[in-house]
């Protein structure tokens, strides 16, 4: 990842009112627009459209919150997307996940996780590696999840791979210090 942004975040004063309205929920505790969204504001029309999908994946997803966050953290760790990692460590902690669980999901040490999370993380890895799942993994997914949830698995992985690509390519920088260091050693999941 670049050591500095390839695109500087757009200044809030330069944004259209309809973009500012779309970004109202995407501000930090100090009221600033998160760097990822201010960076993507270089293409305001696309950003506003993307936020609709993003809001579903992050806020209205049918997957359990903790499980979804473990999937996102696995993607961020595998993609070495520090900004995504940092934001979702913070979300995962607010959702009640302990740092040990966060790191286990990210590093591939899944033995202590429940069966559903192991299946979801195995699916995440398969989707990252081959953009699909084999029949055995499909059967495991559908044994635990309904159709809408399986589709949300696909949307979650797809969205967060997209965001990891954007973060890494545009050089979106972590805002402050990392909440938890990005794990250096990753292995294939144990599910």
């Amino acid at each position: 990842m670049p050591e500095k942004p390839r695109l500087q975040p757009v200044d809030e004063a330069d944004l259209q009112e309809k973009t500012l309205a779309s970004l109202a929920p995407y501000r930090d505790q100090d009221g600033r627009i998160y760097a990822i969204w201010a960076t993507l504001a270089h293409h305001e029309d696309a950003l506003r459209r993307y936020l609709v999908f993003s809001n579903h994946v992050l806020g209205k997803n049918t997957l359990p919150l903790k499980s979804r966050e473990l999937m996102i953290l696995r993607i961020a760790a595998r993609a070495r997307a520090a900004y995504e990692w940092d934001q979702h460590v913070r979300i995962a902690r607010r959702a009640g996940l302990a740092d040990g669980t966060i790191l286990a999901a990210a590093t591939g040490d899944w033995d202590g996780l429940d069966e559903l999370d192991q299946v979801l993380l195995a699916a995440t890895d398969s989707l990252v590696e081959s953009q699909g799942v084999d029949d055995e993994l499909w059967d495991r997914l559908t044994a635990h999840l309904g159709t809408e949830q399986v589709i949300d698995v696909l949307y979650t992985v797809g969205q967060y791979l997209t965001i990891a690509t954007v973060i890494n390519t545009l050089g979106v920088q972590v805002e402050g210090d990392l909440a938890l260091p990005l794990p250096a050693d990753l292995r294939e999941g144990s599910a």
Side-chain angles (χ1 to χ4, degrees):
M1 180 168 126
E3 292 184 21
K4 60 182 183 174
R6 288 183 170 146
L7 287 178
Q8 290 297 326
V10 175
D11 189 274
E12 189 170 336
D14 296 329
L15 296 175
Q16 300 171 24
E17 283 301 318
K18 58 186 174 181
T19 301
L20 288 170
S22 294
L23 290 171
Y26 300 98
R27 294 177 179 273
D28 65 17
Q29 66 273 12
D30 296 324
R32 291 183 304 256
I33 297 168
Y34 286 105
I36 182 65
W37 307 122
T39 302
L40 291 177
H42 283 279
H43 191 335
E44 291 184 63
D45 289 340
L47 171 60
R48 287 191 308 274
R49 290 178 183 108
Y50 184 76
L51 287 172
V52 174
F53 180 67
S54 174
N55 185 48
H56 169 77
V57 174
L58 187 60
K60 297 183 169 94
N61 195 315
T62 60
L63 298 172
L65 171 64
K66 292 178 181 180
S67 298
R68 182 195 69 218
E69 286 306 315
L70 293 176
M71 293 169 60
I72 295 167
L73 290 162
R74 179 68 174 169
I75 293 164
R78 290 195 59 175
R80 312 305 301 157
Y83 184 92
E84 182 174 277
W85 169 259
D86 187 58
Q87 292 297 319
H88 286 277
V89 163
R90 295 169 194 278
I91 293 169
R93 285 175 172 170
R94 287 193 301 270
L97 289 168
D99 286 356
T101 302
I102 291 168
L103 290 170
T107 61
D109 184 17
W110 305 339
D111 292 334
L113 300 178
D114 67 28
E115 167 104 14
L116 173 61
D117 288 335
Q118 289 186 34
V119 170
L120 288 171
L121 290 167
T124 299
D125 274 1
S126 181
L127 291 164
V128 167
E129 292 163 11
S130 63
Q131 294 71 55
V133 298
D134 62 22
D135 289 340
E136 184 270 333
L137 188 48
W138 175 259
D139 289 344
R140 290 175 61 205
L141 275 170
T142 58
H144 290 280
L145 303 172
T147 302
E148 288 182 354
Q149 290 177 306
V150 171
I151 291 171
D152 277 339
V153 168
L154 305 176
Y155 284 159
T156 299
V157 173
Q159 167 164 318
Y160 283 96
L161 280 173
T162 298
I163 289 297
T165 301
V166 168
I167 288 165
N168 288 346
T169 303
L170 298 181
V172 178
Q173 302 297 303
V174 173
E175 298 162 309
D177 295 329
L178 283 173
L180 185 66
L182 192 59
D185 294 323
L186 304 178
R187 63 181 178 92
E188 188 174 316
S190 57

